[in-house]
Amino acid sequence: MRRVKIIGTGSYVPSKVLSNHELAARIETSDAWIVARTGIRERRIAAPEEATSDLAFAASVQALEMAGLSAEKLDMVLVATVTPDMQTPACAVHLAHKLGAKNAFAFDLSAACAGSLFAMSVASQYIATGAVKSVLVVGAELLSRITNWEDRGSSILFGDGAGAMVLVPTEEADSPERGLLKLQLYSDGSAADILCIPGGGSRFPLTPESFLARHNKVSMRGREVYKFAVTALVQAVERIFSEHNISLEQVKHVMAHQANVRILEAILERIGIPIEKAHININRYGNTSSASVPLTLDEANRAGKLQAGDLILVMAIGAGMSWGAGLIRW
Ligand code: UT7
């Protein structure tokens, strides 16, 4: 079984910035409240003509370029998203077509904010068995299209963006320590209603009434999500370390899904990892769901902050609830 390494990363955020002050002019909130409760100062909003595969494309081009791989060499394109271009076919199919990834099969994966970790896990299994050699994993979200902009409890959180990673098997020449060491995933559907888009699916197809009631937009019970997230991710991370002969002190970087900086602070404090090890960009991008981990990874990578051999802790949680944690040796 081959281990997986990341040989290219890329990211993209739309150019339009939406600040807390602009939001406060539309709904009853304030910059001070949003910063204090979430750490968010601004987020990016896609242009009307942009769709999720456009964001994914821009991030993917960068990742492929860094990997030194042409799109035709890809065997598999996997997009984690809850905001595909259309209900069907998959966003990944549109992306593969735009990239010219003619030899790849492509599909989407829905695990909300934990999507990039779920996609990385799927890709690593395909690679480990030798079924494929090179996989493009993308987390891309256009959350501004599914945000209920009248709900101050959730609309302040979300932003648009994409992050991409090229995954291949480790080689003989690589350190035996390199690559994705462990990734454990979890799901709990009993908490499905605390964060969901209730309408527009087969359970509650859209009607004119439900459309007006915004049932096709995100519905969230924030405080419950917050508590669930802290408890679940602390357990997930503690399990990773208890099952491996790796100490917390060895972690150099934390690349976490950023939903709220307070959630991240609470988790790291309980686990005992200094917050300074976390790469944080939620202040600039808000919660970008499945894009946030690969987007953060790419920013750190391009800034030259990741050295060969560095141990990276990844974690993410989102609707489902779906969550996971893992370790990557860079
Ligand atoms: O990616 C995974 C998905 N999402 C998350 O992880 C989100 C998790 N949850 C959160 O981040 C937080 O729960 C929020 C940021 C959404 C809310 O923060 P909170 O500290 O949990 O506030 P709360 O919901 O308990 O509300 C406290 C007060 C309430 O007023 P009262 O009842 O105390 O008078 C809210 O009505 O704050 C009020 N409030 C606001 N005030 C100003 C709620 N939203 C706002 C707002 N501006 N935007």
Side-chain angles (χ1 to χ4, degrees):
M1 299 281 258
R2 304 299 290 273
R3 197 180 275 168
V4 171
K5 63 178 176 178
I6 299 169
I7 58 164
T9 59
S11 60
Y12 172 79
V13 289
S15 55
K16 183 178 163 41
V17 175
L18 177 64
S19 71
N20 289 347
H21 295 288
E22 288 169 276
L23 267 181
R26 296 186 200 168
I27 51 171
E28 203 186 331
T29 189
S30 66
D31 174 60
W33 192 95
I34 302 172
V35 173
R37 298 285 178 132
T38 70
I40 300 167
R41 292 183 182 276
E42 58 188 39
R43 69 286 293 143
R44 299 300 179 97
I45 305 294
E49 66 277 11
E50 280 182 312
T52 302
S53 68
D54 300 319
L55 277 55
F57 176 77
S60 301
V61 167
Q62 285 187 0
L64 286 167
E65 195 183 339
M66 186 187 286
L69 207 71
S70 75
E72 286 181 5
K73 287 263 159 49
L74 288 170
D75 299 318
M76 178 171 163
V77 174
L78 194 44
V79 177
T81 187
V82 293
T83 52
D85 294 26
M86 47 186 72
Q87 191 107 7
T88 192
C91 180
V93 172
H94 295 288
L95 173 62
H97 174 63
K98 279 183 201 163
L99 288 169
K102 294 182 202 145
N103 301 309
F105 60 96
F107 61 98
D108 288 357
L109 186 150
S110 175
C113 305
S116 64
L117 297 194
F118 277 62
M120 210 191 294
S121 173
V122 171
S124 72
Q125 298 302 318
Y126 268 89
I127 288 174
T129 57
V132 303
K133 283 211 170 69
S134 52
V135 184
L136 177 67
V137 167
V138 183
E141 300 288 7
L142 221 156
L143 296 178
S144 60
R145 303 263 158 87
I146 57 162
T147 297
N148 178 357
W149 289 105
E150 290 179 1
D151 174 21
R152 69 175 182 169
S154 63
S155 63
I156 50 140
L157 291 176
F158 303 123
D160 301 333
M165 302 174 278
V166 176
L167 271 57
V168 297
T170 52
E171 297 153 84
E172 297 287 322
D174 285 316
S175 151
E177 292 297 312
R178 186 173 179 190
L180 180 61
L181 305 182
K182 191 73 195 170
L183 191 47
Q184 277 161 344
L185 306 176
Y186 307 84
S187 309
D188 181 358
S190 71
D193 61 335
I194 65 175
L195 178 53
C196 62
I197 299 175
S202 61
R203 175 70 59 198
F204 303 114
L206 269 193
T207 61
E209 294 74 29
S210 64
F211 180 80
L212 287 175
R214 302 186 190 281
H215 291 163
N216 57 330
K217 305 290 183 186
V218 172
S219 160
M220 183 178 81
R221 301 210 294 272
R223 187 128 290 251
E224 287 171 61
V225 175
Y226 189 110
K227 285 185 189 159
F228 193 114
V230 174
T231 308
L233 283 181
V234 167
Q235 282 173 3
V237 173
E238 285 179 345
R239 185 171 164 206
I240 289 272
F241 285 96
S242 71
E243 290 179 2
H244 289 82
N245 197 19
I246 293 176
S247 67
L248 284 173
E249 290 69 36
Q250 291 178 47
V251 171
K252 280 262 170 55
H253 312 274
V254 177
M255 303 285 172
H257 165 54
Q258 294 158 66
N260 179 333
V261 82
R262 284 165 56 219
I263 294 180
L264 188 55
E265 284 167 354
I267 292 167
L268 294 183
E269 193 184 323
R270 286 196 202 178
I271 299 167
I273 295 180
I275 187 74
E276 292 70 30
K277 290 190 175 177
H279 294 258
I280 293 172
N281 54 22
I282 190 173
N283 52 328
R284 290 176 284 132
Y285 303 140
N287 174 349
T288 57
S289 189
S290 67
S292 87
V293 171
L295 174 56
T296 308
L297 185 71
D298 180 56
E299 284 199 339
N301 193 16
R302 280 173 197 275
K305 293 180 180 165
L306 309 180
Q307 306 302 320
D310 281 359
L311 190 66
I312 303 170
L313 171 65
V314 291
M315 62 173 122
I317 185 160
M321 297 295 280
S322 314
W323 68 103
L327 289 171
I328 300 169
R329 179 82 66 187
W330 199 250

